Amino acid sequence: MTVERLIAKNKIHHRFVSPDALIATAILVLRSAKAGAIAVSSDGKYLVGIISEHDIVAGLSIHGSTVLKKHVSDLMTEDLNRTGFAGGSNS
């Protein structure tokens, strides 16, 4: 699925974060976007997952404050079929 299609279909914010970004960075992007979830993409075009406030809170409960130094790929949701965001792979 492309980031563009996800945004159009689900009306999520147009910002995205790299899977290699730190959780601390993702929090700043979420806050500045005033969004509860943002797309995760390596190239800004194809979706590899989403990172949500829920993912971060779950990570915080497991890892404590060290979660801020983890990567987005450690906590992001990759199975978009479970989220309702799926529309087919790379479509």
Side-chain angles (χ1 to χ4, degrees):
M1 173 180 288
T2 64
V3 173
E4 182 178 294
R5 183 160 182 228
L6 174 76
I7 292 166
K9 182 179 179 205
N10 298 289
K11 298 179 176 65
I12 67 165
H13 201 276
H14 69 275
R15 294 189 186 178
F16 68 91
V17 66
S18 166
D20 297 326
L22 295 177
I23 293 298
T25 300
I27 291 170
L28 293 174
V29 174
L30 282 164
R31 184 171 183 251
S32 70
K34 297 181 181 173
I38 52 174
V40 180
S41 176
S42 297
D43 61 7
K45 184 175 179 184
Y46 290 99
L47 186 68
V48 296
I50 60 168
I51 186 79
S52 68
E53 293 171 334
H54 179 271
D55 295 328
I56 295 168
V57 170
L60 182 61
S61 72
I62 294 167
H63 304 288
S65 63
T66 63
V67 75
L68 297 174
K69 294 182 180 179
K70 294 213 170 278
H71 292 103
V72 168
S73 60
D74 296 328
L75 301 181
M76 71 183 193
T77 300
E78 294 179 76
D79 182 2
L80 300 179
N81 290 315
R82 291 187 310 131
T83 65
F85 288 112
S89 64
N90 294 332
S91 55

